[in-house]
Amino acid sequence: MTLSVRVVACLDVDRGRVVKGVNFTEIRDAGDPVEMARVYDAEGVDELVFLDITASSGGRETTYDVVRRTAEQVFIPLTVGGGVRTVDDVDRLLRAGADKVGVNTAAVRRPELVREVAHRFGSQVLVLSVDARRCRPDGARTPSGFEVTTHGGREGTGLDAVEWAARAAELGAGEVLLNSIDADGTRDGYDLEMIAAVRAAVTVPVIASGGAGAVGDFAPAVQAGADAVLAASVFHFGDLRIGEVKDALRAAELPVR
């Protein structure tokens, strides 16, 4: 049986508000997360991702409150990430109403966290968020040409993005959320080469993120190997509707819900 392609809306949350930028900079306000979640649910989005982009200790309580209020309003899968450092952080987010939890920087620092979370809650709960960029000419080089970054794309790690995704999947990550730092917010299309490279290395679902700008951008990402396609600004500012994206995927003869 062929699984349906999932269309995912991403809400980058900072101090209780949805924000959006370009290449993880030039941040601007985009609205109230609970209200936006309600709208996306009504439009037929398959999943929501909340990313606490500042993830400060003070902002965590804000995130829990947003998750609680959203979970009360919508009944689609909700993934929450940003600032998740421990198994207890995962537990608190699940109790607040998250269905899945994304980990990034903490897992890069201590990969064993992936195994610990998967062991306690199951792989289906754990989404590995990979903020990857193409290697810079004056920076670290990796075998795939893609490097893992942390701290919102600001710090390179020298870690090969494809190898890291494969290792994390072996440790128990249930999905890979692949964020292209270079494409983020540009609306120039997904990084198809990056998607294909990670797809070839893992058997778990891959969520493509970064670069969606037109209805024609989504099908190529799926054809490159993505199981789900994520977008943010084009949905937030009304440039595209969820139904339009699903229609475009159907027109490309791809299964959607």
Side-chain angles (χ1 to χ4, degrees):
M1 184 179 88
T2 303
L3 294 177
S4 296
V5 176
R6 288 171 288 147
V7 177
V8 183
C10 182
L11 307 178
D12 293 324
V13 180
D14 181 12
R15 297 177 180 85
R17 296 288 293 178
V18 176
V19 296
K20 192 56 195 161
V22 178
N23 303 129
F24 283 35
T25 62
E26 302 173 29
I27 303 298
R28 59 177 170 151
D29 187 275
D32 174 67
V34 180
E35 180 56 35
M36 293 178 76
R38 234 188 335 249
V39 171
Y40 290 141
D41 186 22
E43 288 191 357
V45 78
D46 297 308
E47 295 189 18
L48 287 169
V49 172
F50 274 17
L51 296 179
D52 178 352
I53 62 167
T54 49
S56 63
S57 57
R60 293 309 297 164
E61 274 307 321
T62 303
T63 300
Y64 292 127
D65 178 60
V66 169
V67 171
R68 287 187 198 101
R69 290 189 292 121
T70 302
E72 290 170 359
Q73 296 288 332
V74 302
F75 302 96
I76 50 179
L78 176 62
T79 299
V80 183
V84 177
R85 300 176 180 88
T86 67
V87 171
D88 287 342
D89 289 338
V90 175
D91 185 58
R92 287 191 69 189
L93 285 168
L94 293 175
R95 290 176 185 275
D99 299 285
K100 295 183 278 189
V101 176
V103 296
N104 182 355
T105 301
V108 171
R109 288 176 176 163
R110 194 173 70 84
E112 195 61 26
L113 176 64
V114 175
R115 193 194 305 276
E116 292 167 2
V117 173
H119 177 72
R120 179 164 171 185
F121 303 106
S123 292
Q124 78 283 352
V125 160
L126 184 59
V127 178
L128 179 78
S129 184
V130 181
D131 291 342
R133 68 185 181 193
R134 290 174 179 268
C135 292
R136 304 291 192 255
D138 57 347
R141 304 297 300 172
T142 68
S144 71
F146 300 106
E147 178 189 17
V148 174
T149 70
T150 59
H151 299 84
R154 293 185 295 275
E155 296 187 17
T157 64
L159 191 64
D160 185 276
V162 176
E163 292 177 357
W164 168 230
R167 183 183 177 198
E170 290 174 358
L171 287 169
E175 291 186 83
V176 174
L177 172 54
L178 185 61
N179 310 302
S180 170
I181 300 298
D182 300 311
D184 175 71
T186 64
R187 306 192 184 195
D188 291 333
Y190 294 95
D191 191 323
L192 305 182
E193 184 183 351
M194 183 189 292
I195 294 168
V198 172
R199 169 78 287 154
V202 303
T203 57
V204 299
V206 175
I207 306 165
S209 171
V215 290
D217 292 332
F218 294 87
V222 177
Q223 290 156 349
D227 301 274
V229 282
L230 177 151
S233 57
V234 290
F235 293 151
H236 299 343
F237 300 115
D239 300 286
L240 296 177
R241 316 307 291 187
I242 303 297
E244 291 178 291
V245 173
K246 290 195 173 186
D247 287 344
L249 292 169
R250 288 189 191 98
E253 300 184 345
L254 296 167
V256 297
R257 296 175 186 173

